[in-house]
Amino acid sequence: MKSRLLYFLFIISGVGVKAQGIGLINKKPFERNKYLISVAFEVTKRIGPDWYRKGIIPEVSDTTTMFDITKGINADAKIYSNYGRKYYTVTLWYDESTQKELTYQYASKVDIWEDSGKPLGITFGSMKGWAFF
């Protein structure tokens, strides 16, 4: 499991370099959404391959700003350093075969930073997820 996570982080670091070069903030909505969807599919396939299904229709949200939801909680400095940054959420809706296993109404949600194009985290419909700080 540890080697799988290290491999994923290595792959994602390459995706981030590519994203910085494409100017995600300045892209037209169609091109930006195409990129965001491809990152969401890649992250889902690598972290939770059992949740990936071909033909799932993705939905890209407007940007959300990270804010202090952990006030009063001893949060990691990496979390605090990201307050004020914007991110997109790409939701991959479930198909009938995954619906039985879900707590939430989606197969996966991938949050992707607006400024860098790197994934922030992923949450699966089973309530499990990972943050990539």
Side-chain angles (χ1 to χ4, degrees), residues 13-46:
S13 66
V15 170
V17 171
K18 181 180 174 188
Q20 289 174 352
I22 66 168
L24 190 58
I25 297 170
N26 299 321
K27 285 290 185 189
K28 293 180 181 177
F30 175 79
E31 293 171 356
R32 181 190 64 231
N33 289 351
K34 184 177 175 183
Y35 173 79
L36 292 168
I37 290 166
S38 71
V39 170
F41 279 138
E42 181 176 339
V43 170
T44 300
K45 283 192 268 188
R46 293 196 185 274

Side-chain angles (χ1 to χ4, degrees), residues 78-96:
K78 292 177 185 175
I79 295 171
Y80 284 125
S81 69
N82 287 294
Y83 290 152
R85 285 180 76 187
K86 294 184 179 193
Y87 62 92
Y88 293 95
T89 299
V90 180
T91 304
L92 304 179
W93 298 105
Y94 60 79
D95 64 2
E96 290 187 24

Side-chain angles (χ1 to χ4, degrees), residues 4 40-57 90-110 122-130:
R4 188 172 165 189
F41 279 138
E42 181 176 339
V43 170
T44 300
K45 283 192 268 188
R46 293 196 185 274
I47 298 296
D50 294 340
W51 293 98
Y52 175 76
R53 300 285 191 274
K54 289 184 180 180
I56 291 178
I57 299 172
V90 180
T91 304
L92 304 179
W93 298 105
Y94 60 79
D95 64 2
E96 290 187 24
S97 65
T98 55
Q99 182 179 6
K100 302 175 248 185
E101 306 168 34
L102 301 175
T103 301
Y104 295 117
Q105 298 299 312
Y106 54 84
S108 67
K109 281 190 176 187
V110 180
I122 185 170
T123 306
F124 297 103
S126 64
M127 297 178 59
K128 294 182 181 179
W130 286 266

